[in-house]
Amino acid sequence: MHAIGFGPRFAVNRGGAHTVFDFSGGVLPPGAALARASVATCYDASGAIVSVAADGARFDHDPVTGALRGLLIEPAATNTLARSTDWSDGYWLKTGLSASAGVLIETVASGGHAVRQTIGDTGFTAGQAVSLSAIASERGGSAKRYLLLVIGAAPSFSASTFAIFDLAHGVVTASGNCTAAAYPAGGGAWLCVASATPVASAAGQQIALRLNASATAIVGYGGDGTSGLNVSHIQIEAGAVATSRIVTGAGAGSRAADVLTLDWRSRGVGDGTIAVRYGFDDGSSQDATLVVVGGTASVPATLARRWLTHVQKL
């Protein structure tokens, strides 16, 4: 299995047009069915995060341009943080902050300005990568504040594991013991992600999200009582990438895997192993094989990209 460049859509089509399942129009084509045992989220054309009912196909949009990306296909995931969109809840331990849904404002206290939450009952697992992410933006009238995501420290990690983000430009200005990046999330906001792999299993570990006055180091400072950041949809999950937002209530929340089933018999394709090409939103593609049994085959939820525009028999 490998990814290759892909030119004009369907340029290679040895099997004919009838052996292409096209998802670029925002609807499931004939012969395609999707199942998912839970609610899930995606971006609509206005750039808003919306919930899609169980078994509903998610046609995701670019949060900045509103352009249709394609059919969103993801594996199962769990967000172990409770109250992922409401900092005011008691699940969040607050230091030097006043907090409400989606807003963090520093108090006049000196020191750290942070919210923290313990990672479930089991904590981190050695060797299992985790990703901490949140959607954040600067606030008008605020003094310059940076977003600081802290995944953890010893004993789960060999050193303090953190990333600092400049939300004016969506850049990582400093990091320690992790990989980090920011992606446009619409409305001037950024999806900020920090990923790392624990070296030891440990329960009782806490993640933290802080307001920071420095772009290069974790610092304490005297707050002014009015400055802060807009921050919402925080999430920690297994894996080295951040997936679609899993909104939680009083406890962890999970998203079931998307199961896309294609009826190849309806396209004149018999049972057996076939070569296919998956096309993605960015024009790239991935060649693979599928095993057709009883006329159908399921698309894996672990493709090279999550936004599927077509599946073509080679």
Side-chain angles (χ1 to χ4, degrees), residues 96-107:
L97 284 174
S98 63
S100 59
V103 179
L104 296 176
I105 301 295
E106 64 195 35
T107 68

Side-chain angles (χ1 to χ4, degrees), residues 210-296:
R210 293 178 55 159
L211 306 182
N212 207 54
S214 169
T216 58
I218 300 175
V219 297
Y221 62 94
D224 60 19
T226 59
S227 294
L229 297 172
N230 301 314
V231 189
S232 67
H233 291 89
I234 191 167
Q235 188 158 311
I236 193 163
E237 59 193 304
V241 298
T243 64
S244 61
R245 300 298 86 187
I246 301 171
V247 179
T248 62
S254 296
R255 181 193 63 245
D258 294 291
V259 181
L260 176 63
T261 302
L262 304 179
D263 183 356
W264 289 100
R265 180 168 44 195
S266 69
R267 305 302 175 94
V269 178
D271 286 1
T273 300
I274 61 172
V276 297
R277 175 164 294 163
Y278 299 111
F280 304 115
D281 61 303
D282 65 349
S284 66
S285 67
Q286 178 182 348
D287 290 353
T289 57
L290 280 178
V291 179
V292 180
V293 178
T296 67

Side-chain angles (χ1 to χ4, degrees), residues 91-280:
Y91 277 93
W92 291 102
L93 174 65
K94 292 167 276 290
T95 304
L97 284 174
S98 63
S100 59
V103 179
L104 296 176
I105 301 295
E106 64 195 35
T107 68
V108 296
S110 293
H113 303 271
V115 291
R116 295 180 174 83
Q117 189 175 142
T118 301
I119 306 299
D121 296 326
T122 57
F124 295 119
T125 300
Q128 173 61 69
V130 294
S131 293
L132 177 63
S133 58
I135 295 176
S137 63
E138 292 192 323
R139 288 182 62 78
S142 172
K144 181 67 176 181
R145 297 294 182 252
Y146 299 88
L147 175 68
L148 169 60
L149 296 181
V150 181
I151 303 179
S156 289
F157 299 92
S158 58
S160 181
T161 304
F162 68 92
I164 300 174
F165 300 85
D166 182 345
L167 299 178
H169 308 288
V171 296
V172 179
T173 56
S175 64
N177 203 34
C178 71
T179 59
Y183 306 93
W190 300 88
L191 174 63
C192 300
V193 185
S195 303
T197 301
V199 296
S201 300
Q205 302 297 290
Q206 286 188 335
I207 63 91
L209 187 152
R210 293 178 55 159
L211 306 182
N212 207 54
S214 169
T216 58
I218 300 175
V219 297
Y221 62 94
D224 60 19
T226 59
S227 294
L229 297 172
N230 301 314
V231 189
S232 67
H233 291 89
I234 191 167
Q235 188 158 311
I236 193 163
E237 59 193 304
V241 298
T243 64
S244 61
R245 300 298 86 187
I246 301 171
V247 179
T248 62
S254 296
R255 181 193 63 245
D258 294 291
V259 181
L260 176 63
T261 302
L262 304 179
D263 183 356
W264 289 100
R265 180 168 44 195
S266 69
R267 305 302 175 94
V269 178
D271 286 1
T273 300
I274 61 172
V276 297
R277 175 164 294 163
Y278 299 111
F280 304 115

Side-chain angles (χ1 to χ4, degrees), residues 63-90:
V64 177
T65 67
L68 179 65
R69 281 175 163 173
L71 178 65
L72 181 57
I73 300 291
E74 295 181 300
T78 296
N79 181 5
T80 59
L81 296 173
R83 304 297 185 193
S84 61
T85 60
D86 188 1
W87 305 111
S88 66
D89 193 273

